[in-house]
Amino acid sequence: MTPTTHPDSIARRRLDTPDVDVVVVGAGFAGLYLLYRLRSLGFSTKVIESADDVGGTWYWNRYPGARCDIESIDYSYSFDPEIEKEWQWSERYATQPEILRYLGYVADKHDLRRDIQFSTRVESATWDDNASLWRVRTNNGDAITCRFYAMATGCLSLPKTPDVEGVKRFRGASYYTGRWPHAGVDFSGKRVGVIGTGSSAIQSIPIIARQAAELTVFQRTPNFSRPAYNGPIAAEKKAAFATDPAAYRHAAKWSRAGVPVEPTLMQALRVSAAQRLAAYEAAYAAGDLLALGNAFADIGANPEANETVGEFLRGKIRAIVHDPETADALCPKDHFYGTKRPCLDSGYFETFNLPHVRLVDLRKDPIKTITETGIDTASRSFALDAIVFATGFDAMTGAIVAVDIKGRDGLALADKWNDGPKTYLGLMTTDFPNFFMITGPGSPSVLSNMAVSIEQHVDWVGACLAYMRERHLDVIEPTPLAEAAWGQHVNDCADITLFPRASSWYMGANVPGKPRVFLPYIGGVDRYRKACDEVVQRDYLGFAFDGAAGARCNDGVICRLQPDVAMLIDIMAELGLPAIDTLWVADARAFSVAMAAERPPGPEVGAIADGVLPGAAGALPYRLYRPAQPGPHPIVVYFHGGGWVLGSADSDDPFCRDLCVRSNAIVVSVDYRHAPENRFPAAADDGFAAVRWIAANAESLGGEPEQLAVCGWSAGGNIAAVVCQRARDAGGPRIAGQVLVTPATDCDFTRASYVTNGDGYLLTSALIHWFWDHYADPADRENPKASPLRARNLYGLPPALVVTCEFDPLRDEGAAYAAAMAAAGVSVRHLDCRGQIHTSVISVDMILSAAGARAEIGNALRQFFGTSPAAEQSALRVALLSSRAESAV
Ligand SMILES: Cc1cc2nc3c(=O)[nH]c(=O)nc-3n(C[C@H](O)[C@H](O)[C@H](O)COP(=O)(O)OP(=O)(O)OC[C@H]3O[C@@H](n4cnc5c(N)ncnc54)[C@H](O)[C@@H]3O)c2cc1C
């Protein structure tokens, strides 16, 4: 996109000289590196930190057992090769004191403390639009002005206030894991209660149990945890790092979670139970936070696949914990594995076998109140000397909105984010110019090795400021369009996973009143980095700038494809497959058969039977899918895709199964004759002959008379459309409805979607030409039997659902056919699937983001047959013209 002048730009204003170029809030991993980077770029920078030293997370969280759960080699800075050589971690997962020493060492090495003001809390930051700077105020009364304001305040830095009655009443000692006393705590001989069973509790409970006379753990939600098997760093890992640290870091930066791990494409439910178990045992033994979730590709998205890990871990808990009731209470059953942050532990579950340790399941026996002397649950009183609150954090947004941040026109960030945070790339937010967040909401942050994500954000911000300085730009702000689209993309990514189903802190669910939105970006560190880089390469796409050189805006959207579609396209590109249009037909067919064999099989149906029916010029094979419920059922006659050249009942088998289940109808998939052996109009003639025969034999097939619809994908959509016209013209058979999925409807190759989507989205315009060349002579192509859009009139056709996809070369001709039918008075719904490609809708269990479109197709068929339940009927009444296909998994 060519940068244009910002339409809303205001005449240049007075530019005051600020006290410093940048104020950074926070001196943890992020603030320290940001200071280093900005200083090295020549920006005057002041860091403000409420603690009295550096360290952030590792300054505050001094509870017993606190340590990282991403291996220290990975969870460390990469920006300074000298540090990488000088600093040696003592074990796989370093303790809090060691990490704190490390951060102190980094601060010393680069003399960072001289620009950090400690023991000072930033209370407010206000954008002064006239002077184009931020006015920052602290609890000490300092007022500092800066051109840029960056919050490196941490995703997990604002402890949540415990929502338990009577907290202040307790006369014993109270401790908060996130604000642990520096001198440490000795629990010897004490009766201790721990409230919470998240990460901090799971780390601290085994150690507290070693000291305490009695330990009572109050658990609201059991968590998945497994042994860390902490110890010396594995020799191979050490060697891999030492041999080529740059290559090691590069792999981490371009990995899914910021740790160099090769992703698998293997699916949990496509291997035997024994293979699955072996993979889980190996992952369990690895003592690695990410290993189990990475064991199979579908664990984060497929409930059944996920359940296999959940059950595996529950089995481990039952094997460790002796008392069956306690074991059962410790087994997480209310969320999918990984959708709440899993934990690594050192003897957590074993602790519950100790005679002086007990578990109180608050689901069965909730806390009534904290008293002066302990805790009262609904059924008991527990006398305690000390209570440890391991109640977590107001994650991701808490520390940001805790500062009174006001942007343009006095807009408060807390108000803007009332319904959930809105950001562009998790880095900036509209109406808050020159305001950066390090690992802000909408970035991979807490779903990644944060050291990697922090460095990536800091580098991006540093490069952005340098870019602005070079071009005499003073103000940067994301555009509303870019921000809204990023929010959409973040949700698209989350929606194809199981994560939004959990009441987790990722969803804000641990803080009463906090809006339930998915806060981090789950599309992966690698894809996220690619998006951020692309924004820069495309001249800061989605940003508006202002400065001495004038105002400019490069409005636009990054990441327009659905995330799983983008992933599929990348995988296909990596495989380096041949373009079909360069192959001989026989090879192309063999290739498409081989590709089809790799797909997930689709859902189970009641029964499948192959048969033969009379086509226009001889017998045609067909495959019939019968629903599990007893019939008779309506019938859907289905025509597969493949450009009239390729395909079979096998090629579209998963989609036919899906259609059968969703529509509760019999699906008859017809193997019409293919070109070039049988050119136009063989396929169209066979399609019509098949529909006539199936209509005439509906009852013997188990169908209901007069309850027949047609459906087809791509060239099959073309055949379905032609069949409807011919049935109308021939006075029958009666067709209750037609579903045309990304259909070919015309032989005009000049439409815009051919130009914009003709290359890069699997179906290419070259391939479409190849198909047409094999199917129909140029003289025949305008015949409505080849190009149904060319029919003289389209009145009296059956009601239709036309599905088009945004990134399909055939999009515009599908849309044109829908519009033409509607203009002729046909009842038409047009579903344009945002971010999808030609093959998305039929890619069952592969393109999960198209599951919503598949649901719409099932609903439409039920509606044609009058079998959709009332609720579905009303949902279908929603105007669908150009609406987006909701992603639903
Ligand atoms: C117990 C625990 C274990 C963790 N383990 C891992 C792990 O293994 N791997 C991993 O990737 N991540 C882990 N994390 C996440 C961790 O928070 C990040 O890895 C990282 O430390 C965050 O660094 P940061 O600089 O962004 O924020 P923080 O370290 O949280 O630092 C933010 C700083 O900002 C200061 N601050 C906030 N608001 C203000 C204000 N208004 N004025 C002044 N100062 C302010 C705070 O005092 C704090 O010092 C863990 C978190 C916790 C709590």
Side-chain angles (χ1 to χ4, degrees):
M1 178 173 296
T2 325
T4 54
T5 300
H6 190 340
D8 303 328
S9 83
I10 316 159
R12 293 293 308 140
R13 296 144 297 202
R14 180 170 58 93
L15 259 190
D16 285 359
T17 306
D19 298 331
V20 286
D21 292 325
V22 192
V23 162
V24 173
V25 193
F29 254 100
L32 290 177
Y33 179 45
L34 190 53
L35 171 57
Y36 169 85
R37 175 59 58 220
L38 294 175
R39 203 196 262 171
S40 65
L41 288 166
F43 293 102
S44 59
T45 306
K46 183 182 185 97
V47 177
I48 301 174
E49 167 58 61
S50 60
D52 61 17
D53 201 357
V54 299
T57 294
W58 305 103
Y59 172 93
W60 295 110
N61 288 270
R62 297 169 189 243
Y63 60 83
R67 58 174 80 237
C68 57
D69 51 18
I70 295 284
E71 289 200 47
S72 293
I73 279 196
D74 300 300
Y75 184 58
S76 52
Y77 289 123
S78 72
F79 71 87
D80 181 348
E82 275 185 21
I83 295 179
E84 289 183 324
K85 285 206 196 88
E86 289 164 10
W87 187 271
Q88 295 300 320
W89 294 103
S90 67
E91 51 186 341
R92 281 179 86 183
Y93 300 107
T95 57
Q96 172 271 331
E98 187 172 356
I99 303 172
L100 188 59
R101 275 202 306 281
Y102 169 77
L103 291 170
Y105 153 81
V106 173
D108 288 342
K109 182 174 170 69
H110 292 291
D111 189 18
L112 297 177
R113 285 189 178 86
R114 74 177 148 91
D115 286 324
I116 306 175
Q117 182 173 330
F118 291 109
S119 307
T120 308
R121 168 161 293 281
V122 170
E123 292 196 323
S124 71
T126 307
W127 173 249
D128 181 337
D129 211 21
N130 292 320
S132 291
L133 49 72
W134 283 91
R135 299 187 182 281
V136 177
R137 288 189 181 275
T138 74
N139 61 333
N140 295 342
D142 311 313
I144 310 152
T145 57
C146 53
R147 184 76 61 226
F148 300 97
Y149 172 66
M151 292 199 86
T153 42
C155 295
L156 302 171
S157 65
L158 188 70
K160 204 186 74 145
T161 321
D163 50 347
V164 186
E165 200 200 297
V167 174
K168 294 212 172 106
R169 210 178 305 152
F170 184 57
R171 287 205 308 265
S174 295
Y175 302 102
Y176 296 82
T177 50
R179 292 289 180 267
W180 204 258
H182 288 202
V185 181
D186 183 5
F187 289 110
S188 301
K190 300 273 188 329
R191 294 163 305 171
V192 183
V194 175
I195 300 182
T197 47
S199 238
S200 307
I202 282 175
Q203 288 187 333
S204 58
I205 281 169
I207 297 176
I208 297 174
R210 271 182 233 149
Q211 298 175 355
E214 269 178 30
L215 174 63
T216 310
V217 177
F218 296 88
Q219 171 191 273
R220 200 178 308 177
T221 312
N223 246 312
F224 286 110
S225 183
R226 59 190 185 283
Y229 298 123
N230 195 17
I233 302 164
E236 315 83 73
K237 189 160 184 105
K238 236 178 170 168
F241 184 68
T243 312
D244 191 347
Y248 186 95
R249 297 295 195 189
H250 180 84
K253 286 174 182 174
W254 289 98
S255 66
R256 296 279 299 155
V259 179
V261 179
E262 275 297 314
T264 177
L265 292 177
M266 212 163 32
Q267 302 205 336
L269 302 180
R270 299 194 76 189
V271 300
S272 69
Q275 284 171 302
R276 216 163 34 230
L277 183 63
Y280 292 155
E281 289 289 3
Y284 189 84
D288 178 309
L289 187 70
L290 308 171
L292 264 174
N294 284 338
F296 294 101
D298 51 350
I299 286 172
N302 181 331
E304 288 157 51
N306 190 290
E307 180 56 18
T308 62
V309 192
E311 199 38 43
F312 170 80
L313 285 171
R314 286 188 286 270
K316 292 287 184 194
I317 297 170
R318 289 186 197 109
I320 296 171
V321 180
H322 301 158
D323 172 44
E325 203 182 324
T326 306
D328 190 59
L330 286 165
C331 283
K333 296 179 206 101
D334 71 340
H335 64 276
F336 291 108
Y337 172 76
T339 58
K340 287 180 168 220
R341 195 176 192 283
C343 307
L344 287 186
D345 67 83
S346 299
Y348 173 65
F349 292 113
E350 289 83 347
T351 304
F352 293 93
N353 293 332
L354 299 172
H356 67 294
V357 178
R358 68 190 150 192
L359 180 74
V360 177
D361 182 353
L362 300 180
R363 294 265 162 88
K364 289 188 182 145
D365 191 9
I367 292 182
K368 256 192 346 206
T369 185
I370 296 179
T371 65
E372 284 81 0
T373 54
I375 294 178
D376 282 0
T377 63
S379 71
R380 298 182 60 181
S381 286
F382 296 88
L384 301 169
D385 302 310
I387 301 179
V388 174
F389 292 94
T391 40
F393 299 91
D394 184 348
M396 304 221 47
T397 53
I400 299 176
V401 296
V403 175
D404 180 16
I405 302 175
K406 293 218 169 68
R408 281 194 203 284
D409 303 322
L411 176 66
L413 186 65
D415 289 341
K416 175 176 173 180
W417 285 7
N418 204 23
D419 300 328
K422 294 168 187 67
T423 71
Y424 184 37
L425 303 169
L427 276 163
M428 297 196 79
T429 182
T430 308
D431 283 325
F432 295 79
N434 292 7
F435 166 51
F436 294 95
M437 291 161 283
I438 305 301
T439 64
S443 74
S445 55
V446 291
L447 291 175
S448 66
N449 170 3
M450 291 200 65
V452 169
S453 290
I454 285 169
E455 285 195 330
Q456 187 252 337
H457 264 193
V458 168
D459 291 341
W460 196 96
V461 172
C464 174
L465 265 52
Y467 169 95
M468 290 175 68
R469 183 175 54 193
E470 267 169 37
R471 288 160 184 76
H472 307 290
L473 298 166
D474 309 305
V475 181
I476 177 172
E477 187 184 344
T479 68
L481 172 72
E483 178 169 292
W486 183 254
Q488 180 76 70
H489 177 62
V490 169
N491 287 336
D492 286 345
C493 292
D495 285 348
I496 56 173
T497 73
L498 300 168
F499 278 69
R501 300 198 197 180
S503 294
S504 64
W505 56 257
Y506 298 136
M507 294 290 294
N510 64 328
V511 179
K514 194 165 170 171
R516 295 274 180 114
V517 292
F518 193 68
L519 296 166
Y521 176 75
I522 201 172
V525 162
D526 46 357
R527 296 195 159 270
Y528 176 77
R529 181 181 293 269
K530 192 172 163 208
C532 291
D533 289 357
E534 194 184 325
V535 162
V536 174
Q537 280 150 17
R538 292 171 70 183
D539 208 7
Y540 285 89
L541 181 70
F543 283 104
F545 290 96
D546 203 349
R552 57 175 245 221
C553 173
N554 185 12
D555 208 357
V557 171
I558 195 82
C559 297
R560 293 175 58 201
L561 283 170
Q562 288 288 343
D564 44 359
V565 173
M567 215 176 290
L568 178 75
I569 289 176
D570 286 354
I571 291 170
M572 300 293 274
E574 275 166 28
L575 290 174
L577 303 170
I580 293 180
D581 51 284
T582 61
L583 302 178
W584 296 107
V585 168
D587 294 337
R589 285 178 184 154
F591 175 76
S592 74
V593 168
M595 293 300 293
E598 297 301 316
R599 298 161 316 176
E604 288 292 326
V605 299
I608 296 181
D610 287 341
V612 174
L613 56 77
L620 298 176
Y622 71 82
R623 181 167 297 168
L624 185 145
Y625 302 81
R626 203 178 296 286
Q629 296 83 349
H633 300 279
I635 297 179
V636 179
V637 183
Y638 179 79
F639 302 105
H640 64 76
W644 308 281
V645 177
L646 316 172
S648 64
D650 282 338
S651 66
D652 290 26
D653 182 75
F655 185 51
C656 288
R657 290 164 176 267
D658 192 78
L659 272 181
C660 174
V661 170
R662 291 187 191 273
S663 64
N664 197 31
I666 290 170
V667 174
V668 184
S669 176
V670 179
D671 255 346
Y672 52 89
R673 282 171 296 157
H674 285 160
E677 297 86 345
N678 301 283
R679 290 170 67 83
F680 174 84
D685 289 348
D686 278 351
F688 187 46
V691 165
R692 289 170 83 155
W693 183 85
I694 292 165
N697 294 275
E699 280 183 72
S700 63
L701 294 170
E704 293 176 58
E706 297 288 303
Q707 286 284 56
L708 179 143
V710 294
C711 175
W713 166 63
S714 192
N718 170 282
I719 296 170
V722 170
V723 162
C724 289
Q725 292 186 11
R726 292 182 69 178
R728 175 200 61 185
D729 296 343
R734 181 184 172 273
I735 296 176
Q738 51 178 326
V739 175
L740 312 180
V741 182
T742 57
T745 69
D746 195 23
C747 57
D748 175 0
F749 308 129
T750 62
R751 288 191 169 82
S753 56
Y754 267 89
V755 180
T756 54
N757 304 332
D759 197 15
Y761 304 107
L762 302 191
L763 176 65
T764 61
S765 66
L767 181 56
I768 299 171
H769 279 98
W770 188 86
F771 285 142
W772 274 100
D773 290 346
H774 282 104
Y775 182 49
D777 294 335
D780 289 329
R781 292 182 187 176
E782 294 189 13
N783 186 320
K785 279 200 226 169
S787 293
L789 184 58
R790 307 258 166 162
R792 204 172 310 132
N793 61 58
L794 296 171
Y795 74 91
L797 291 173
L801 170 66
V802 180
V803 182
T804 57
C805 289
E806 186 181 0
F807 293 96
D808 180 5
L810 300 184
R811 179 196 67 203
D812 290 351
E813 65 195 68
Y817 193 59
M821 284 195 290
V826 178
S827 166
V828 182
R829 287 187 288 114
H830 172 202
L831 180 64
D832 185 32
C833 303
R834 182 176 52 77
Q836 300 292 358
I837 58 173
H838 185 69
T839 46
S840 293
V841 175
I842 65 142
S843 297
V844 175
D845 293 338
M846 273 173 71
I847 299 300
L848 301 181
S849 57
R854 291 188 281 274
E856 289 289 352
I857 291 170
N859 288 345
L861 287 166
R862 285 170 184 254
Q863 199 187 31
F864 294 151
F865 298 132
T867 55
S868 69
E872 287 174 7
Q873 298 263 13
S874 69
L876 282 170
R877 277 196 285 274
V878 173
L880 279 170
L881 194 68
S882 286
S883 72
R884 82 175 188 90
E886 291 294 330
S887 46
V889 269

